[in-house]
Amino acid sequence: AQSVTQLGSHVSVSEGALVLLRCNYSSSVPPYLFWYVQYPNQGLQLLLKYTTGATLVKGINGFEAEFKKSETSFHLTKPSAHMSDAAEYFCAVSEPGGADGLTFGKGTHLIIQP
Amino acid sequence: DTGVSQNPRHKITKRGQNVTFRCDPISEHNRLYWYRQTLGQGPEFLTYFQNEAQLEKSRLLSDRFSAERPKGSFSTLEIQRTEQGDSAMYLCASSLEDIEQFFGPGTRLTVL
């Protein structure tokens, strides 16, 4: 069985500061890893994904994440936060093939302080 | 708009009533997923179709829940004899093969 742990239900950073959202996973096989963003009353939008190959993946809106197998982590970063980044962020994992759908973490609410 | 659409966006019902939600996936996508999201939680997988075949169901999907995808196009999710615990956002996603799932805006269900 797979599981995802997101440390910190709320993270607050100042505009222009580094954003770091943490995600650790548990999986019996090398997983696919995803970060999604959800704005209020909207569906989820994919920020980035890791399947195979390069462990540092770049996504939309300046976000990137690094797959570290030894640490079973897939932390999301952005060098400089913008006010528009305020949203709920979800880390998710799936087995290759996706037959069981995605397993999501509980989410991290990102707050941007002016 | 060629994204995933869901109808209705909001549904308020009384306990014990039946409700049905519809999801229209991106047209060329062969996979369709249903998830449930409760307040403060991440989405939880409910079920998954490849074309018209329902291939996987979560244990969360009690016998009051049924999903169909006739002809491999749109899908419906029906909840019979709704309970207050069914109140949630129901999300639909579609994909072409197994990598990126595109999500719809969701249907918010409130059971009174």
Side-chain angles (χ1 to χ4, degrees):
Chain A
Q2 299 173 316
S3 66
V4 176
T5 301
Q6 291 184 240
L7 291 177
S9 59
H10 292 77
V11 170
S12 180
V13 302
S14 298
E15 190 174 18
L18 172 71
V19 175
L20 171 61
L21 303 183
R22 298 178 187 274
C23 172
N24 289 86
Y25 68 90
S26 172
S27 178
S28 58
V29 298
Y32 290 170
L33 294 157
F34 307 83
W35 276 98
Y36 281 86
V37 61
Q38 187 176 35
Y39 297 98
N41 299 314
Q42 294 187 27
L44 282 77
Q45 181 183 9
L46 182 68
L47 283 176
L48 48 80
K49 62 182 182 287
Y50 169 79
T51 54
T52 58
T55 57
L56 181 64
V57 292
K58 295 185 183 299
I60 62 172
N61 301 339
F63 285 94
E64 62 182 37
E66 186 172 10
F67 169 57
K68 292 187 177 181
K69 184 178 179 181
S70 61
E71 299 177 7
T72 60
S73 68
F74 192 57
H75 302 330
L76 181 72
T77 60
K78 181 173 180 178
S80 177
H82 295 170
M83 295 299 292
S84 61
D85 294 328
E88 193 80 18
Y89 291 79
F90 293 97
C91 181
V93 61
S94 77
E95 290 188 9
D100 291 337
L102 295 168
T103 299
F104 285 87
K106 292 188 176 183
T108 297
H109 186 63
L110 179 61
I111 301 163
I112 310 297
Q113 303 282 1
Chain B
D1 186 6
T2 57
V4 178
S5 62
Q6 292 187 246
N7 288 288
R9 294 292 307 276
H10 304 274
K11 178 70 177 179
I12 299 174
T13 190
K14 293 182 178 179
R15 188 175 52 187
Q17 298 294 305
N18 299 342
V19 294
T20 299
F21 311 139
R22 177 178 170 129
C23 171
D24 287 272
I26 294 171
S27 60
E28 66 269 25
H29 285 185
N30 59 340
R31 296 191 178 193
L32 188 149
Y33 303 80
W34 284 100
Y35 294 84
R36 181 176 69 186
Q37 185 179 20
T38 53
L39 200 62
Q41 301 294 318
E44 296 171 295
F45 169 75
L46 292 179
T47 190
Y48 143 69
F49 291 85
Q50 175 138 341
N51 300 312
E52 66 274 11
Q54 189 173 15
L55 298 185
E56 192 72 25
K57 289 195 291 186
S58 162
R59 64 182 182 279
L60 295 173
L61 213 64
S62 75
D63 57 5
R64 297 185 297 106
F65 288 70
S66 62
E68 294 182 341
R69 192 183 183 198
K71 302 179 182 178
S73 56
F74 71 92
S75 176
T76 58
L77 177 68
E78 181 183 14
I79 309 174
Q80 296 182 326
R81 305 181 303 281
T82 52
E83 302 172 355
Q84 287 185 323
D86 297 330
S87 295
M89 176 77 85
Y90 290 84
L91 296 166
C92 175
S94 69
S95 73
L96 188 63
E97 299 308 323
D98 67 342
I99 300 181
E100 181 173 350
Q101 294 183 26
F102 292 81
F103 282 80
T107 295
R108 183 172 295 283
L109 173 66
T110 301
V111 182
L112 302 177

